[in-house]
Amino acid sequence: MAATRLFLRASPVKCSLTGLTGGVHSSLGLTLLKLSPACTAKPQAQRRHAAHFTYHPEPAPSQYGDLTSGFVRLTLAAVREILTHVSPAVIFGEDVAFGGVFRCTVGLRDKYGKDRVFNTPLCEQGIVGFGIGAAAAGATAIAEIQFADYIYPAFDQIVNEAAKYRYRSGNMFDCGKLTIRSPWGCVGHGSIYHSQCPEAFFTHCPGIKIVVPRGPVQAKGLLLSCIADQNPCIFFEPKILYRAAVEQVPTEAYQIPLSQAEVLQEGSDLTLVAWGTQVHVLREVAAMAQEKLGVSCELIDLQTILPWDTETVCKSVVKTGRLLISHEAPVTGGFAAEISSTVQEECFLNLEAPISRVCGYDTPFPHIFEPFYIPDKWKCFEAVKRMINY
């Protein structure tokens, strides 16, 4: 069983992250395709692209000196910064010593030694449990869960132990130096077990912080902030950006404050809120709305999911009177529901239309039907039109 899981986890890195060519469909897939008159049962090559958005590099911060590029490289640089200047600091997880399936820890074991960079058994509860113990003993512990989809076996350790460690001791001891990193979100061919966005499961748990960056600049700054924070943090890294996102990032250490949303584009007619990959989807939606409808959208990257920046979001909604929230996770119980509820309570008299949520469906994440599942720019654009015409 362990060998099967390892094979399944490793398989995505052997595939292209820029696109896929369809092959022979399963009998079930052919049956479903036949439901549409426009579809044919012939095993024709059907191109499907991994990225349902276009990544546009952001201006490089100039206040931190020299620049470099790449998402993976910057994640690696952030961890290297900690291992170099913080003692004791350790990073561990499945295949971490070998560089990890996404190459985010390449060369660290050779530089810092096997006592500080090491592999673990195929046991997520053991990885997080060890991290709690290491952090409680005073070490800066960076634990990697190979895919966010496999964080569930560690749910008890995160929710019942890490999040409550400080509270149950009356602040006499804690595991605030624990940071859990994990690749997150859809990638174009991840299917059921390599595409999930589980952040909402942990937002019901006081005592931890949850962060999702939208690009390389944010990945480095927010990760360093998580590691420095005196609370256990979960840092979800959009795996599709490992290869799709390339922009200039400072080589020096810097931190981006947690629990502060960023207004990426100011507008007057409608507020768009997202985090991680969906920020880039909504950036395209804002451009389409301006071009096709003459609608001015304000775009907000939440960045920290818990505790989230209610002030920035509510201030924007008071100005625009409309709110659209989008995330890849299923709509029921997704974090968009929490944002929607809070904004409704705080900004009810300012709303010009019902709050809209454009999210994943309440189904397991599909494979060949992923393009129909993801909340792409067309679904979000249709929601914008409905809200404007309400």
Side-chain angles (χ1 to χ4, degrees):
M1 189 67 178
T4 302
R5 287 180 61 195
L6 186 59
F7 172 78
L8 289 173
R9 295 185 188 191
S11 60
V13 301
K14 297 178 181 178
C15 301
S16 168
L17 290 180
T18 57
L20 288 176
T21 301
V24 179
H25 302 292
S26 67
S27 58
L28 174 61
L30 288 174
T31 302
L32 292 173
L33 285 173
K34 288 178 182 177
L35 295 177
S36 171
C39 293
T40 174
K42 295 180 180 179
Q44 297 175 342
Q46 182 181 3
R47 184 173 298 277
R48 296 192 299 121
H49 295 284
H52 52 288
F53 60 92
T54 301
Y55 187 86
H56 296 286
E58 299 185 20
S62 58
Q63 65 268 38
Y64 301 109
D66 297 337
L67 302 171
T68 186
S69 64
F71 196 109
V72 171
R73 189 179 303 167
L74 271 300
T75 303
L76 177 63
V79 176
R80 186 185 295 115
E81 180 74 24
I82 296 301
L83 293 174
T84 300
H85 296 102
V86 177
S87 182
V90 292
I91 180 168
F92 48 92
E94 297 158 16
D95 296 329
V96 163
F98 306 143
V101 294
F102 292 104
R103 320 312 293 162
C104 290
T105 54
V106 170
L108 293 183
R109 181 180 63 173
D110 294 338
K111 183 175 179 62
Y112 298 102
K114 63 181 181 180
D115 293 333
R116 302 183 67 194
V117 182
F118 49 89
N119 292 334
T120 66
L122 194 72
C123 178
E124 284 76 16
Q125 54 266 59
I127 294 171
V128 176
F130 176 84
I132 293 171
T140 296
I142 306 171
E144 179 181 300
I145 302 298
Q146 198 172 78
F147 285 90
D149 312 65
Y150 295 104
I151 202 170
Y152 303 118
F155 196 82
D156 180 62
Q157 279 71 26
I158 295 172
V159 172
N160 276 337
E161 304 300 335
K164 297 174 174 60
Y165 224 64
R166 185 190 305 276
Y167 177 81
R168 75 179 190 180
S169 71
N171 203 32
M172 292 179 61
F173 53 86
D174 64 81
C175 60
K177 294 184 178 181
L178 170 64
T179 299
I180 302 169
R181 291 180 48 246
S182 189
W184 164 100
C186 76
V187 71
H189 49 249
S191 193
I192 299 174
Y193 296 121
H194 299 83
S195 302
Q196 297 174 71
C197 300
E199 66 273 15
F201 286 101
F202 300 100
T203 59
H204 195 61
C205 177
I208 56 176
K209 295 187 177 182
I210 305 168
V211 179
V212 185
R214 70 175 182 274
V217 171
Q218 293 72 35
K220 182 176 179 179
L222 291 170
L223 179 56
L224 287 174
S225 293
C226 285
I227 296 172
D229 197 89
Q230 293 304 303
N231 297 280
C233 297
I234 303 177
F235 189 79
F236 288 121
E237 302 168 4
K239 69 175 77 72
I240 196 171
L241 299 182
Y242 283 145
R243 302 293 182 266
V246 177
E247 63 189 21
Q248 295 297 302
V249 183
T251 56
E252 292 185 15
Y254 63 94
Q255 294 184 17
I256 296 175
L258 302 182
S259 297
Q260 289 187 19
E262 182 177 356
V263 179
L264 303 181
Q265 174 181 314
E266 294 190 355
S268 57
D269 300 323
L270 192 148
T271 299
L272 304 173
V273 174
W275 49 91
T277 308
Q278 283 304 112
V279 172
H280 307 293
V281 174
L282 292 189
R283 195 192 296 270
E284 294 185 359
V285 172
M288 292 170 61
Q290 183 65 59
E291 178 184 353
K292 299 178 183 296
L293 306 175
V295 172
S296 173
C297 294
E298 184 148 297
L299 176 60
I300 298 176
D301 177 8
L302 205 59
Q303 298 192 123
T304 302
I305 312 303
L306 186 73
W308 66 287
D309 187 351
T310 59
E311 182 179 352
T312 296
V313 174
C314 289
K315 181 180 178 181
S316 176
V317 175
V318 167
K319 176 173 64 173
T320 65
R322 299 175 179 87
L323 173 63
L324 184 152
I325 314 154
S326 181
H327 59 61
E328 294 178 11
V331 61
T332 300
F335 196 65
E338 175 63 28
I339 299 174
S340 178
S341 177
T342 300
V343 170
Q344 188 271 342
E345 292 172 357
E346 297 293 329
C347 311
F348 180 77
L349 295 178
N350 301 98
L351 292 173
E352 302 290 344
I355 297 170
S356 180
R357 294 177 290 161
V358 184
C359 310
Y361 298 117
D362 292 328
T363 69
F365 203 97
H367 186 197
I368 193 169
F369 293 112
E370 179 182 286
F372 301 103
Y373 179 92
I374 55 177
D376 61 17
K377 63 181 179 181
W378 302 109
K379 293 178 183 177
C380 295
F381 182 63
E382 288 300 315
V384 169
K385 289 196 292 186
R386 289 194 299 271
M387 296 174 72
I388 292 299
N389 295 326
Y390 181 78

